[in-house]
Amino acid sequence: MLNKKMLWIFLMFTTLVNAQELTQTIKGKIFDNETQEPIPFATVVIKNTNPIIGTTTEDNGKFRLENVPIGRYDIEVSYLGYESTIISEVVVTSAKEVVLKVTLTESPYALDEVIIRPKTRKEEPLNRLATVSARMLSVEEASRYAGGFDDPARLASSFPGVATSSVGNNAIIVRGNAPKYLQWKIEGVEVPNPNHFANLSTFGGGGLTALSSNLLANSDFFTGAFPAEYNNALSGVFDIKMRNGNSSEYEHSIEAGIIGLDFASEGPLGKKENGASYLANYRYSTLGLISSLLPDDAGKINYQDLSFKLSLPTEKAGSFSIWGIGLIDNSESLPEKDVNKQVYYEDVEQQDVSQYMGALGINNRLTLKNSAYLNTTLSVSTNGIDLKTDRLNNQSQLKPENAIKNTNYNIIFKSYLNKKFSAKHTNRTGITLRGLAYNIDLKENNVNTNTLNSLVSENGFSSLLSAFSNSLFSLKNWKLNLGINAQLFTLNNSVTIEPRLGLSHQINENNRLSFGYGLHSRIEPLNISLATTANNTQANKDLKLSKAHHFVLAYDWNISEKLHLKIEPYFQYLFDIPIVANTTTSLINLEQDWFINDTYINAGKGQNYGIDLTLEQYINKGFYYLVSASIFNSKYKTDTNKWYNTRFNKNYFITALAGKEFRLGKNKQNSLGINIRVSIQGGNRYSLIDNQASFLQQDVEYNETNPFTQQAETVFLTDFTVNYEWNKRKTTQRLSLKVLNATNFEEFQGHRFNLQTNQVDKFKEGIIIPNISYKISF
């Protein structure tokens, strides 16, 4: 037993430790943005600290700031002859070191005696070859913003030009385009849709992301006029980056919540001085816990995902990284047993679904002489779905309704050379070779024979080959991005030559005017190209890629250091869109339909035009807000030569989000963040119901002679996020409450045929998605 003196000493020590100000280390490396070479002797300063906390980088570009008090900071990085930059809203906690990778851009007209004012433009993309319609996605924002839900797609819906498909689905509509036209990239290469329950309700979307925020670095999101290195994308691009693990300290986190369990770990590989590191994350959930994510008729659901990255620098062979992501989903729904409750087909169906997706890549970045580097990636990926639906007949016997077996494999080789000729000219030139292997078997019930008929039964191999070159010219107050991309799709030898242009003029220190143009294209779903059509041939195999011209103007005004206004009017002209001749049917409206065997021709057109506005205040004294608005029109036409609304023509959406962070505790070492988002958007489009045809077919039938003339009521959604975070020595704990659709707004979900009344009902459903979670990092 401790005597009184020893007890008094113990209590005094405990009191001193608890009262001690908690600190952490900020470290990182400074690079030249064009050459990726380290910059020695750059200055790194934490703004608004007293006394000032700062340092300079070593010969290898590395820096280290120790004993930084817990909090949120802006960090200024500068070097003579380069444009200074401010990394804003850096969060420092007690559990994990902050590791930064900062790039500086050489100023072509900087003189020794000229002081270049640092710029705070946290919304600007990481890729300097992007001129317009691009924004950086911050991992910290995905966790903080209401409605972000730690999901890049849901976070993007806070930005202008981006509308949500529905609360229960993270598919997004970019400037009136179908979600299927969006491309996902990880570490620079295209990957299959990386969402759980992908493509079940909307092609291009899913229920939850498989990309854990524990693993992601800041990334880019594009909504139009993409740079030349991006191919096979028509509406937008998610260019997702994975961060490197901490190469000197082991760090871990565990999170448990309604959605499931999350485990993350990172640290050095081998000796700490070699700079190698690992980073891994695993998640598991059973939707007995998150049934609120799904409609009322959902059954058993569970999912899991794993992602990782290994960083392996070498002295002579450059820097290697190995990364991977994988997911497995299972769901099951059973028919309603009570005959009196069997109202819709969904009530008399049994459906079993198994899905998977995986991607593995190895990347090498080799620094060359004369201000150049070579970046090369080899990746393999796969995704598949095995779905079987049975339906009760009049004798309450289950009979096959449809079956999907769809497996895809991709192997991608991408390499580009980035050469900095001078501070005024940088060029990036490269190739992408993508092999596509497929095994597709789609069957649907024939009502006449009551047997499953095969619509697609194909396995084979094709390829998509691409080459690009892009030059960035920096002139006085002007920047010109000029590029070209060429593609060959070997399934039918379709060729596209796609010019890209970006031009920006810095009017003065706070105002900038920009213009962007690009021709873009995307492959339509392979099951349509390979379908056996009505004449018992593969009439769609020669379909060309769908294409679009993008034109964008942009005006940026830095009203103050923390307040930014952006206005972007745009026009998109779509062409070569597959349509069914002499009808109003166009793949521009395809949302989710696996069972298509119509014959298509590339004669359709479309146009999207509108204006996007953003007013954003970065965090200032703990308060921030973002208001974004879009007014647009989305039209299409077939060979009937008449313009119609597209399915995704919502016409407008407005999003306002705001939050306040309070620093609490004796040394302000804890924080309480309260965040809210309110969004208003036009309702979903649909065609008039053909009641007579619906009665005869015993299913929902639309009058498509004048499609999508009807619009559901305006959608009004409210989301909020509350985070309370407290720091102890070596640990940080966070308690979070995140809710989507907190007001339980009932969204229009389409139409269903009522089996009891033999009429078509409008189906509306309110889905609240809550998540309460506890996370500890150590």
Side-chain angles (χ1 to χ4, degrees), residues 259-321:
I259 284 185
L261 301 174
D262 189 308
F263 306 92
S265 180
E266 62 184 286
L269 278 174
K271 297 180 180 180
K272 294 183 179 180
E273 55 268 21
N274 66 17
S277 66
Y278 77 91
L279 176 61
N281 193 94
Y282 173 74
R283 296 189 299 184
Y284 177 80
S285 178
T286 171
L287 248 58
L289 299 176
I290 54 171
S291 58
S292 58
L293 278 170
L294 303 166
D296 292 336
D297 52 14
K300 297 179 181 178
I301 290 184
N302 61 74
Y303 73 86
Q304 54 188 320
D305 58 62
L306 172 69
S307 47
F308 70 91
K309 183 178 182 181
L310 308 179
S311 179
L312 306 167
T314 67
E315 290 185 6
K316 297 182 179 180
S319 178
F320 287 86
S321 63

Side-chain angles (χ1 to χ4, degrees), residues 422-549:
S422 69
K424 298 179 182 180
H425 178 209
T426 298
N427 177 269
R428 182 176 295 179
T429 298
I431 59 170
T432 302
L433 311 177
R434 178 186 174 193
L436 301 89
Y438 50 84
N439 190 348
I440 308 173
D441 189 10
L442 307 181
K443 297 178 181 179
E444 188 178 38
N445 182 49
N446 185 318
V447 293
N448 297 320
T449 63
N450 201 28
T451 58
L452 288 181
N453 280 5
S454 178
L455 301 183
V456 183
S457 181
E458 279 287 322
N459 66 82
F461 183 87
S462 186
S463 57
L464 181 66
L465 313 178
S466 174
F468 76 91
S469 184
N470 202 130
S471 279
L472 169 62
F473 301 93
S474 298
L475 309 174
K476 190 173 184 179
N477 300 325
W478 291 88
K479 288 186 179 179
L480 173 65
N481 270 308
L482 194 61
I484 192 166
N485 187 294
Q487 285 190 115
L488 168 64
F489 184 36
T490 62
L491 182 69
N492 51 30
N493 292 323
S494 294
V495 176
T496 64
I497 306 294
E498 303 174 3
R500 313 286 170 87
L501 169 68
L503 181 65
S504 67
H505 174 53
Q506 195 71 40
I507 302 170
N508 54 42
E509 189 174 41
N510 295 315
N511 294 270
R512 183 177 60 190
L513 189 64
S514 306
F515 169 76
Y517 162 75
L519 173 60
H520 308 282
S521 63
R522 185 159 175 83
I523 302 170
E524 293 289 350
L526 284 178
N527 61 286
I528 296 173
S529 298
L530 300 172
T532 301
T533 52
N535 56 4
N536 206 32
T537 64
Q538 290 182 324
N540 297 328
K541 202 165 186 178
D542 291 330
L543 283 178
K544 295 183 289 186
L545 281 66
S546 297
K547 304 181 185 70
H549 293 289

Side-chain angles (χ1 to χ4, degrees), residues 354-365:
S354 297
Q355 293 179 265
Y356 60 88
M357 174 267 176
L360 177 68
I362 180 169
N363 171 264
N364 173 256
R365 176 167 290 184

Side-chain angles (χ1 to χ4, degrees), residues 108-158:
Y109 292 96
L111 301 177
D112 291 358
E113 66 272 14
V114 175
I115 298 175
I116 304 173
R117 183 176 175 179
K119 299 176 182 178
T120 306
R121 289 175 175 167
K122 77 178 185 70
E123 80 288 343
E124 289 198 352
L126 303 174
N127 190 331
R128 287 193 68 228
L129 300 179
T131 305
V132 295
S133 299
R135 181 188 173 104
M136 183 186 75
L137 288 177
S138 164
V139 177
E140 190 270 337
E141 287 176 346
S143 175
R144 169 165 48 98
Y145 280 6
F149 230 66
D150 298 303
D151 185 335
R154 294 186 188 273
L155 173 64
S157 67
S158 298

